Amino acid sequence: MYLTLADLAVGETAIIDSFDVEQLPMKLIEMGCLPGNKVGLIQLAPSKDPLYINISGSHLAIRRETAARIHIRKQDE
Amino acid sequence: MSKNINVALIGNPNTGKSSVFNHLTGLNQKTGNYPGITVEKRQGICLLPRGVKARILDLPGTYSLNASSLDENVVVELLLNKNDKDFPDVAVVVSDVENIKRNLLLFTQIKGLNIPTILVINMSDRMRRKGISIDTYKMEQLLHAKVVLVSARKNEGVDVLKEHISAFKTISTNPCVAIKQIDQEYFGSLERTFPNQSLYKLWLVITQDVNFANVERKKMETEDANHMRSPSFLKRLQQKETIKRYQFINAVLKECYVKDSSKATDLRGRLDRVLTHKIWGFVIFFMILLAIFQALYDWSSVPMDFIDVAFVQLSDWAKTTIPSWMAPNLIAEGIIPGLGGIVIFVPQIAMLFLFISVLEETGYMSRVVFITDRVMRRFGLSGKSIIPLISGTACAIPAIMATRNIENWKERLVTILVTPFTTCSARLPVYLILISLIIPDERILGANLQGLVLMIFYLLGFAMALLAAFVLHKTMPKNQTSYFVVEMPNYRIPLLKNVLLTIVEKTKSFVLEAGKVILAISILLWVLASNGPSETFKNAPQEVAKSVSVTASNYDQQLSAYKLEHSYLGIIGKGIEPLIRPLGYDWKIGIAIVSSFAAREVFVGTLATIYNVGEDEEETIKKRMAAETYADGSPVFTLASGLSLMVFYAFAMQCMSTLAIVRKETNSWRWPAIQLVVMTAVAYLGALATFQYFSV
């Protein structure tokens, strides 16, 4: 079972592992959502959606459905 | 040396690009539209050293040349078209010092077009505080471009930028990343098919979003189907391209960019913990809205009273001083009160634009987008709809244009359709005058009661917009999944110059646009009110003299009332009276409603004109309205009729310009027609219910 960005808790960081390029908007990829980059969860909106993330230095808000498509791994592994 | 050079300012949103533009051009700027579409086009003139003139074009904020919105597409279309009269001789890419990595992605794309490029690193005043140092000399070597550190806030570096712009011919046009590296096989074959063309430009044309139906792309599809391939293949290549670019950028930054994060203060984090908090975030948002509406009332009464009195005096003066061949009555009774009706609201409109531009400049607006997205989605909207809905409190026209950032068509269409329900500044005059008539000037728990009622009407507008969105959401077919990627910019103290320029620009265009319509309608109304069709109008003095109730003291008043009633205008008003009587309005209000179907701000001016016709003594419009009675002596403006009228104005679609912009943005008459019919019906029923409820 893969971990996804949607599983992260507020304040945690992880490394982006993989994703299906077709399921993500190009804009997100260009903002730094690329395998190997660091991602952190800064804040959750009410109902835990959307997510306020720091992705390789870019501060963005994305929806939970998008976050669930980005596989991550914890840094210490 | 008289050759003008074209300069394009390009950059991500939130980099302070507009501040750089304002510094380069000062007041030498104008705003227009790109032909055929409503993306705002700002351009200005900048004088460079050695007498060279530069035309500066401030392109819409864009994250990438792979356009995902209509705004971004404007940038790509211009940069791909060498024959466009605005095609730049030199591109100035504005980056902010903290997000330089992401900003450089756009920079390397622009460099790929072989245009001489200058990189502006803006907000350099923040470098020390954030522990950042940059070796610009080294950076210039690595990027094959000029690099300038600029602080728009402190006005530093702008002169150096001007020097570089004037010497643009010496700047290298080599790309940073050779496109062929990405995929030798694919680009090699593309090069063999189109040997004399720029590979990167071809690649941009191939990958341009199909939604934008580009002509060149179609041409390529027929000539070279081989290189079009499947969307997933192209997207994989685009990802590879992005990785290559970031590899290059990281290598450059490693050489010349140092960030000591121990020196950085975490202001963003601390503010975000409160402002995006699931409870405090909303509490603060509502407090800010409440404060804005209180301020609109409390701070503007002094300038408004001043303007009110000034126009009354001007009118008096005109009546006695203007020679009779210049139609003093038309000027004193038609034009001056009509214009006064709009000028009086300038303080409040300017203040509203002040608050909105401050909320945007500080970066707070994005936090509101974040906390409200989930709620808005229940209504078929997106968090991004909050910006149009809040901007709609100024004017629906820029608000509808601001929906261009919403990528999903259905969410965008719903936002466009419901935005006119939000309380725009043109409704403000109507509300203000009615509230001051029917709501006592008292304080409840320290809050101004009149201000509270005003806020309730703003909330009513929002509530109606959400309700309408919900109905549309449930009835319209679903379309593609929506992508939601919103940048959360750094918090910033707004630049005074930017805020002031926005206020001046927007208020001016509002007053000029509205002023034209009001002037025309005032004249038309005056003519209709001063002339009548039949003998009864001409024989008014005799008819009034015959009346039993007339006395020497009220003769003049009775005469003017009689004249108005039998004028063309009176006949129109009387004609629709049966229709509006159940809403609590008399025929004079009916005339005001009819005349404000073109633009609702005409309401007050119309009443001013109607009540002033034939009056010898000028009084302020408010006093005239308060004194207005029915034949039996009961006042026309009561709590019930006043609230009913406000509800009517809250919901009715009374703005030609909005209908025109909706037609333009949705590319069909269907949606504006639906808006007009549905909103007017809702307004009629709402006003009917209000009047019947409050008059019991």
Side-chain angles (χ1 to χ4, degrees):
Chain A
M1 191 59 197
Y2 275 116
L3 270 180
T4 73
L5 185 47
D7 302 318
L8 225 52
V10 172
E12 278 189 324
T13 56
I15 303 292
I16 297 168
D17 192 68
S18 64
F19 51 81
D20 182 351
V21 67
E22 273 182 80
Q23 292 196 332
L24 290 188
M26 200 58 215
K27 190 172 164 189
L28 184 58
I29 294 167
E30 289 185 322
M31 294 265 210
C33 179
L34 290 164
N37 279 351
K38 211 169 125 177
V39 61
L41 182 63
I42 298 171
Q43 183 73 281
L44 289 168
S47 314
K48 300 189 174 181
D49 192 13
L51 294 79
Y52 177 0
I53 57 172
N54 176 348
I55 199 157
S56 181
S58 292
H59 295 82
L60 306 174
I62 60 170
R63 285 180 184 165
R64 181 156 286 270
E65 50 175 338
T66 311
R69 295 190 183 127
I70 302 170
H71 299 301
I72 55 163
R73 59 172 189 268
K74 291 286 167 69
Q75 267 168 310
D76 47 1
E77 282 170 38
Chain B
M1 285 293 285
S2 62
K3 184 193 174 316
N4 290 357
I5 53 176
N6 279 341
V7 181
L9 273 185
I10 307 166
N12 289 9
N14 309 310
T15 50
K17 189 163 60 70
S18 307
S19 321
V20 174
F21 176 75
N22 288 341
H23 268 300
L24 284 174
T25 61
L27 285 168
N28 278 324
Q29 50 174 279
K30 59 172 193 216
T31 317
N33 280 331
Y34 290 91
I37 47 169
T38 47
V39 174
E40 201 176 57
K41 178 179 184 178
R42 298 176 76 207
Q43 50 186 348
I45 300 289
C46 172
L47 278 179
L48 298 175
R50 291 176 291 281
V52 184
K53 245 191 192 173
R55 283 182 58 228
I56 317 271
L57 184 60
D58 187 17
L59 290 170
T62 179
Y63 288 104
S64 158
L65 289 186
N66 298 310
S68 65
S69 73
L70 285 161
D71 269 0
E72 293 188 335
N73 202 47
V74 169
V75 179
V76 184
E77 302 261 286
L78 171 64
L79 294 179
L80 285 180
N81 185 4
K82 263 212 156 100
N83 299 321
D84 194 305
K85 66 172 174 44
D86 291 325
F87 186 84
D89 297 304
V90 53
V92 175
V93 177
V94 182
S95 151
D96 91 82
V97 74
E98 285 172 78
N99 291 312
I100 193 153
K101 189 160 52 160
R102 175 160 46 81
N103 285 285
L104 280 176
L105 182 80
L106 177 65
F107 174 86
T108 64
Q109 291 175 336
I110 305 284
K111 278 290 280 176
L113 296 169
N114 314 109
I115 300 170
T117 308
I118 299 168
L119 175 67
V120 165
I121 302 179
N122 193 16
M123 307 193 208
S124 57
D125 49 299
R126 295 169 73 104
M127 281 168 65
R128 188 201 293 262
R129 192 143 43 91
K130 296 280 168 182
I132 296 169
S133 54
I134 298 172
D135 181 346
T136 50
Y137 178 75
K138 205 168 213 174
M139 201 178 229
E140 287 186 342
Q141 312 296 309
L142 295 166
L143 293 176
H144 317 295
K146 287 288 171 196
V147 178
V148 195
L149 290 176
V150 168
S151 165
R153 191 174 295 274
K154 299 198 168 147
N155 199 8
E156 285 167 3
V158 179
D159 289 336
V160 184
L161 173 60
K162 286 182 186 171
E163 275 292 337
H164 286 322
I165 292 174
S166 66
F168 73 94
K169 281 186 180 144
T170 62
I171 302 171
S172 152
T173 55
N174 292 338
C176 294
V177 176
I179 191 84
K180 231 175 142 180
Q181 285 174 18
I182 295 162
D183 189 305
Q184 292 285 354
E185 192 199 336
Y186 178 85
F187 286 99
S189 125
L190 191 63
E191 193 172 32
R192 283 191 293 281
T193 318
F194 299 95
N196 296 319
Q197 296 196 37
S198 151
L199 272 184
Y200 183 55
K201 282 188 188 174
L202 288 171
W203 173 234
L204 277 179
V205 173
I206 290 171
T207 52
Q208 238 188 359
D209 200 316
V210 225
N211 294 334
F212 299 127
N214 189 280
V215 186
E216 271 185 88
R217 186 187 156 93
K218 290 217 177 86
K219 206 174 102 199
M220 280 194 72
E221 262 167 358
T222 48
E223 278 178 18
D224 182 37
N226 188 29
H227 290 105
M228 294 311 290
R229 307 285 185 93
S230 72
S232 73
F233 174 84
L234 293 177
K235 213 167 166 194
R236 255 171 252 284
L237 267 194
Q238 276 186 306
Q239 189 195 357
K240 225 170 152 186
E241 177 194 346
T242 308
I243 292 173
K244 282 270 181 234
R245 290 190 188 282
Y246 272 122
Q247 280 170 353
F248 169 80
I249 292 164
N250 287 334
V252 170
L253 291 181
K254 210 174 161 188
E255 295 280 319
C256 58
Y257 181 93
V258 185
K259 183 168 182 178
D260 179 358
S261 17
S262 68
K263 285 188 189 155
T265 53
D266 190 27
L267 181 65
R268 166 201 278 268
R270 268 180 285 161
L271 278 174
D272 271 340
R273 267 192 287 283
V274 184
L275 294 180
T276 64
H277 188 271
K278 51 188 130 184
I279 297 159
W280 295 120
F282 283 98
V283 172
I284 291 168
F285 179 45
F286 283 112
M287 298 290 278
I288 289 174
L289 289 184
L290 183 68
I292 290 175
F293 297 127
Q294 288 291 313
L296 280 182
Y297 244 103
D298 283 351
W299 296 355
S300 57
S301 57
V302 174
M304 287 178 73
D305 288 345
F306 173 77
I307 294 169
D308 199 14
V309 173
F311 267 87
V312 169
Q313 286 171 349
L314 184 65
S315 196
D316 273 344
W317 174 86
K319 220 173 215 176
T320 51
T321 328
I322 293 177
S324 58
W325 57 269
M326 279 176 72
N329 284 340
L330 171 61
I331 294 171
E333 293 168 359
I335 295 174
I336 293 177
L339 286 180
I342 190 73
V343 173
I344 194 165
F345 299 104
V346 165
Q348 266 156 335
I349 289 161
M351 221 181 287
L352 196 62
F353 282 119
L354 165 78
F355 288 119
I356 287 177
S357 77
V358 167
L359 289 186
E360 285 199 346
E361 288 254 327
T362 51
Y364 178 70
M365 215 62 127
S366 305
R367 273 64 185 183
V368 178
V369 170
F370 172 69
I371 59 174
T372 55
D373 180 58
R374 192 64 225 275
V375 185
M376 302 294 276
R377 245 186 292 163
R378 296 219 176 105
F379 298 99
L381 300 166
S382 133
K384 287 184 183 176
S385 314
I386 206 84
I387 295 176
L389 289 180
I390 291 179
S391 316
T393 58
C395 177
I397 293 158
I400 285 168
M401 282 158 65
T403 61
R404 292 172 158 266
N405 296 323
I406 304 172
E407 285 95 348
N408 181 289
W409 169 243
K410 186 183 162 186
E411 287 175 354
R412 181 164 170 239
L413 180 61
V414 174
T415 311
I416 290 174
L417 292 179
V418 305
T419 293
F421 274 121
T422 57
T423 306
C424 66
S425 46
R427 286 179 176 103
L428 202 55
V430 183
Y431 287 175
L432 291 172
I433 199 141
L434 290 171
I435 286 177
S436 67
L437 268 180
I438 60 169
I439 306 291
D441 186 10
E442 288 167 7
R443 285 191 177 264
I444 285 186
L445 302 171
N448 183 319
L449 186 62
Q450 295 184 330
L452 276 180
V453 172
L454 184 66
M455 180 162 166
I456 289 169
F457 268 85
Y458 272 85
L459 292 178
L460 185 69
F462 281 125
M464 200 59 212
L466 290 182
L467 182 67
F470 187 73
V471 173
L472 286 166
H473 175 50
K474 290 291 169 197
T475 50
M476 279 162 64
K478 250 190 116 144
N479 69 348
Q480 89 268 24
T481 49
S482 65
Y483 288 130
F484 177 86
V485 181
V486 179
E487 191 193 355
M488 307 287 269
N490 262 322
Y491 291 105
R492 278 177 200 133
I493 297 166
L495 276 178
L496 188 66
K497 193 172 181 179
N498 287 2
V499 174
L500 290 181
L501 276 171
T502 310
I503 295 172
V504 169
E505 177 78 30
K506 304 265 166 155
T507 310
K508 197 172 79 187
S509 72
F510 177 85
V511 172
L512 289 182
E513 289 303 309
K516 269 186 260 171
V517 180
I518 287 168
L519 192 63
I521 291 182
S522 302
I523 294 172
L524 182 69
L525 284 175
W526 185 85
V527 170
L528 287 176
S530 313
N531 295 284
S534 60
E535 289 297 304
T536 45
F537 188 82
K538 284 190 197 118
N539 300 333
Q542 294 91 316
E543 293 287 327
V544 174
K546 271 191 265 172
S547 160
V548 280
S549 63
V550 73
T551 62
S553 62
N554 71 2
Y555 173 78
D556 280 349
Q557 203 193 340
Q558 294 237 345
L559 177 65
S560 56
Y562 182 91
K563 268 186 165 173
L564 181 59
E565 201 171 334
H566 291 87
S567 67
Y568 291 109
L569 198 60
I571 290 162
I572 297 171
K574 288 271 181 186
I576 62 160
E577 199 170 18
L579 201 62
I580 55 171
R581 203 68 198 92
L583 310 185
Y585 316 150
D586 71 348
W587 55 275
K588 289 182 189 172
I589 301 178
I591 295 167
I593 290 179
V594 169
S595 64
S596 55
F597 256 89
R600 40 177 86 82
E601 61 272 26
V602 170
F603 176 82
V604 180
T606 303
L607 288 184
T609 309
I610 294 173
Y611 291 149
N612 271 315
V613 171
E615 283 297 314
D616 286 335
E617 245 174 82
E618 296 286 348
E619 276 182 283
T620 65
I621 164 95
K622 201 177 123 185
K623 280 189 195 148
R624 295 280 307 124
M625 287 170 77
E628 193 66 15
T629 56
Y630 285 110
D632 63 3
S634 60
V636 170
F637 291 97
T638 60
L639 183 66
S641 68
L643 286 179
S644 157
L645 199 50
M646 283 167 69
V647 168
F648 187 87
Y649 274 81
F651 297 153
M653 181 60 171
Q654 300 161 293
C655 182
M656 301 279 232
S657 320
T658 303
L659 290 172
I661 210 93
V662 172
R663 151 82 186 84
K664 221 169 183 180
E665 294 290 318
T666 61
N667 212 12
S668 115
W669 278 112
R670 184 177 160 211
W671 299 114
I674 289 174
Q675 270 181 321
L676 180 63
V677 172
V678 172
M679 288 179 68
T680 307
V682 169
Y684 187 87
L685 296 175
L688 181 67
T690 308
F691 181 70
Q692 298 303 333
Y693 179 81
F694 280 97
S695 55
V696 175

